[in-house]
Amino acid sequence: MEYTGYVEPGGYDQVVFRGRRDTREFIAFWLSGGRVLAGMNVNVWDVTDPIRALVTSGQAVDASELADVDVPLTQLLNHPDATG
């Protein structure tokens, strides 16, 4: 399990899960205003760098795409529908 970013208690308005919580292989993202504040990967490897990039970009992301395991995390950066 790895955690990237920082969220103050109550400082988020949405949690998005990507993957399968039932098998404990997922990423949880904490968002505020559509922007990723933090991410925690559980038994999902090689995603720390893209999670960090999403957090530091300050860019809004589409929550449905963030939850979709078929959409690469790197594709969410500079997405044409994102505002930031």
Side-chain angles (χ1 to χ4, degrees):
M1 183 180 321
E2 296 176 305
Y3 181 84
T4 304
Y6 176 75
V7 179
E8 292 188 27
Y12 61 94
D13 53 33
Q14 185 177 17
V15 177
V16 174
F17 291 95
R18 177 188 186 98
R20 299 196 47 201
R21 290 184 283 169
D22 62 331
T23 62
R24 295 187 179 113
E25 295 178 14
F26 65 91
I27 306 170
F29 295 96
W30 287 263
L31 285 75
S32 179
R35 289 169 173 73
V36 179
L37 302 174
M40 180 179 66
N41 51 310
V42 179
N43 295 318
V44 177
W45 310 109
D46 301 321
V47 293
T48 302
D49 289 340
I51 292 171
R52 182 178 297 115
L54 287 168
V55 170
T56 59
S57 76
Q59 175 180 311
V61 297
D62 181 301
S64 64
E65 289 185 353
L66 188 61
D68 187 342
V69 296
D70 292 324
V71 176
L73 291 174
T74 54
Q75 182 176 314
L76 297 173
L77 292 166
N78 300 315
H79 190 283
D81 295 333
T83 58

